[in-house]
Amino acid sequence: DFCYTEAKNKGWHDTEKSVTDDLCLWHSEISEALEVLRKKGKNAVNEITEYDWTDPKKPNTFASEVADVIIRVLDSCRLGTWI
């Protein structure tokens, strides 16, 4: 429910999405994680960043991009759009 609520608050549910839309969004987040690895190298996987959750700008780290993947997947599951 947390992932769904956060996604809804950020406008992710302003329009209806299909299964294909969800998969594309997952792919997009995975691509962003890969881009961090390309720019920062393999050590980016171990980069730890303290994050202020009140700051609207999220850190550009491998971990934050993988977290986005997880949030997208859990959000999709909560919606039940493809299950």
Side-chain angles (χ1 to χ4, degrees), residues 3-26 28-29 68-83:
C3 290
Y4 173 80
T5 302
E6 286 299 305
K8 186 171 175 71
N9 290 341
K10 293 182 181 188
W12 289 10
H13 300 293
D14 291 346
T15 59
E16 193 170 321
K17 294 183 302 202
S18 68
V19 175
T20 306
D21 293 333
D22 282 343
L23 292 174
C24 288
L25 289 167
W26 299 358
S28 171
E29 299 297 350
D68 287 347
V69 174
I70 294 166
I71 291 166
R72 289 276 186 195
V73 170
L74 292 175
D75 179 55
S76 297
C77 292
R78 169 64 169 80
L79 282 177
T81 55
W82 53 275
I83 296 176

Side-chain angles (χ1 to χ4, degrees), residues 15-60:
T15 59
E16 193 170 321
K17 294 183 302 202
S18 68
V19 175
T20 306
D21 293 333
D22 282 343
L23 292 174
C24 288
L25 289 167
W26 299 358
H27 183 273
S28 171
E29 299 297 350
I30 292 168
S31 294
E32 289 176 15
L34 179 59
E35 189 62 23
V36 170
L37 286 178
R38 285 184 180 149
K39 287 182 178 178
K40 297 184 177 182
K42 67 180 181 178
N43 290 332
V45 173
N46 299 320
E47 180 181 17
I48 302 296
T49 304
E50 291 294 321
Y51 179 58
D52 176 5
W53 290 99
T54 61
D55 184 355
K57 186 176 183 207
K58 74 177 182 88
N60 186 25

